[in-house]
Amino acid sequence: MKKKLLILIAALCSLLFALSACGESGAEKPAPADPSKILVAYFSATHHTEGVAEKIAQATGGTLHEIVPETPYTAEDLDYNSDCRANAEQRDPSSRPAIQGSVENMAEYDVLFLGYPIWWGEAPKIIYTFLEEYDLTGKTVVPFCTSGSSGIGSSAQHLHALAEGANWLEGKRFPQDASESAVGEWIASLGLKPAAGDPEEKTESGTMTDTIYLTIGDREIAVKLEKNAAADALLELLRESDITYTAHGYGGFEMVGALGHSLPRSDERMTAEAGDVILYSGDQIVLFYGSNTWSYTKLGKMQDVSSGEIEELLTAADGIAVTIGLK
Ligand SMILES: Cc1cc2nc3c(=O)[nH]c(=O)nc-3n(C[C@H](O)[C@H](O)[C@H](O)COP(=O)(O)O)c2cc1C
């Protein structure tokens, strides 16, 4: 019976959030971040949030930090069907469970991923203790959580009030067994990776590039990427594997196909020209052999290929296989 009540409250929390979530979506997009400037801090009583935090640290290259309670939570403390410690803390607005240790170099981080389990639709009070300990002004905070079934609800909005000077991104709820690819796709959509800068410098380091390659039939074309969140997210996906899709002709000026992933959009009205590689509607890739004016996000420009050759290659058939990859 109590379990049913919990589910009902959790569902209510999710609904309330759905009605009021717009507040968070207006957050600024983060500036690209160096992995050494990313902290993934989490509290996890039964290791589910910990699993997601580890995947985030792996995907971002950030530093993992566990928020450890001074008094650990026993199974009895977490038995929410009883009058347990966790329930008492959640009911008490002034409750601030003490934390063991601290993040001594918090000033060095630009981005804080903050993870927690959902307790009665909210973040556990120990997260409040954590936030009140630091000055997060100017940092980007990215909340994430795990739960039995509830969404992130109003939990992130309530946390936001404790660090108003930070740029809070919309949070994300994961199931307890979130996969590496689900976490990776979310990370890619945030656009936190450093933008491709000086290509030579990056290539020397062996870790970054600003060039991807389109393979159509036996022709390979280099594409120089733009410096934007969509291009960063595409690079992130290509580091995992090549993407092959089918492109179809449209309008007599472009070949369009579904990428199979959504990338962050920063659409603006532009005139696309032959050789442009464009993101349309967040999840379609468009290769131009002619010209068109519309609202797009530019991903990059084909290199060392004439517009005549592009047209010949792209219009060889309707339904061409295109593979995008890295070297
Ligand atoms: C006190 C308490 C309250 C909880 N309240 C909710 C809730 O409102 N909605 C929900 O879906 N799950 C709820 N859960 C389940 C946890 O959110 C879920 O098990 C979570 O993944 C645990 O994460 P952890 O292993 O990192 O501690 C609650 C668990 C506890 C202990």
Side-chain angles (χ1 to χ4, degrees):
M1 185 63 197
K2 281 192 176 163
K3 195 161 186 183
K4 276 192 186 149
L5 188 65
L6 174 70
I7 292 170
L8 192 67
I9 291 175
L12 213 65
C13 290
S14 306
L15 182 66
L16 282 173
F17 177 72
L19 293 172
S20 62
C22 325
E24 296 303 311
S25 60
E28 287 167 40
K29 269 277 169 202
D34 181 328
S36 69
K37 304 223 173 259
I38 299 177
L39 182 69
V40 185
Y42 69 94
F43 163 67
S44 181
T46 49
H47 305 294
H48 295 110
T49 312
E50 181 169 63
V52 175
E54 285 168 354
K55 290 177 180 110
I56 293 174
Q58 202 173 8
T60 58
T63 303
L64 199 59
H65 173 83
E66 182 176 3
I67 300 169
V68 180
E70 212 163 80
T71 309
Y73 289 86
T74 63
E76 268 185 4
D77 290 341
L78 299 170
D79 178 9
Y80 53 75
N81 287 318
S82 70
D83 193 12
C84 68
R85 171 184 164 199
N87 287 3
E89 288 173 358
Q90 293 308 96
R91 274 197 309 269
D92 177 2
S94 66
S95 168
R96 295 290 185 271
I99 294 174
Q100 268 184 48
S102 62
V103 181
E104 279 171 18
N105 57 345
M106 184 62 96
E108 289 170 24
Y109 295 104
D110 291 341
V111 178
L112 169 65
F113 282 87
L114 184 59
Y116 51 86
I118 291 290
W119 283 4
W120 295 101
E122 297 292 337
K125 287 294 167 57
I126 195 168
I127 299 294
Y128 291 57
T129 315
F130 181 82
L131 285 175
E132 285 173 356
E133 213 166 296
Y134 303 97
D135 178 7
L136 301 178
T137 307
K139 297 188 193 301
T140 295
V141 181
V142 197
F144 67 96
C145 65
T146 66
S147 73
S149 60
S150 307
I152 195 162
S154 51
S155 67
Q157 283 166 311
H158 290 153
L159 295 177
H160 190 162
L162 301 175
E164 282 183 320
N167 172 32
W168 284 72
L169 298 195
E170 196 173 333
K172 171 103 177 144
R173 178 260 173 189
F174 289 95
Q176 294 175 329
D177 58 352
S179 67
E180 203 175 304
S181 60
V183 174
E185 276 194 28
W186 176 58
I187 297 296
S189 76
L190 296 173
L192 288 168
K193 285 283 177 179
D198 173 354
E200 275 168 35
E201 191 189 317
K202 301 289 183 184
T203 309
E204 268 170 30
S205 80
T207 56
M208 291 290 296
T209 176
D210 69 347
T211 305
I212 60 172
Y213 296 85
L214 300 177
T215 306
I216 302 165
D218 51 14
R219 178 73 161 96
E220 185 182 79
I221 302 172
V223 174
K224 182 159 186 221
L225 289 175
E226 292 288 301
K227 291 173 185 165
N228 60 29
D232 288 347
L234 179 60
L235 260 180
E236 190 64 26
L237 287 171
L238 296 177
R239 275 193 199 100
E240 299 210 344
S241 67
D242 291 357
I243 296 174
T244 298
Y245 69 97
T246 305
H248 293 281
Y250 178 82
F253 47 77
E254 67 179 37
M255 296 296 282
V256 60
L259 183 62
H261 301 268
S262 287
L263 303 179
R265 294 166 70 167
S266 48
D267 289 349
E268 54 181 309
R269 196 169 169 78
M270 66 179 76
T271 300
E273 311 281 357
D276 281 344
V277 178
I278 298 281
L279 178 69
Y280 169 67
S281 191
D283 57 1
Q284 317 263 319
I285 288 234
V286 189
L287 307 179
F288 276 86
Y289 57 88
S291 170
N292 190 44
T293 301
W294 197 255
S295 189
Y296 301 121
T297 300
K298 187 165 172 179
L299 286 167
K301 180 92 186 169
M302 297 180 206
Q303 305 291 299
D304 305 321
V305 56
S306 70
S307 48
E309 195 188 346
I310 293 171
E311 178 162 4
E312 197 178 321
L313 201 61
L314 296 183
T315 57
D318 185 33
I320 53 167
V322 180
T323 297
I324 320 172
L326 299 174
K327 282 244 160 123

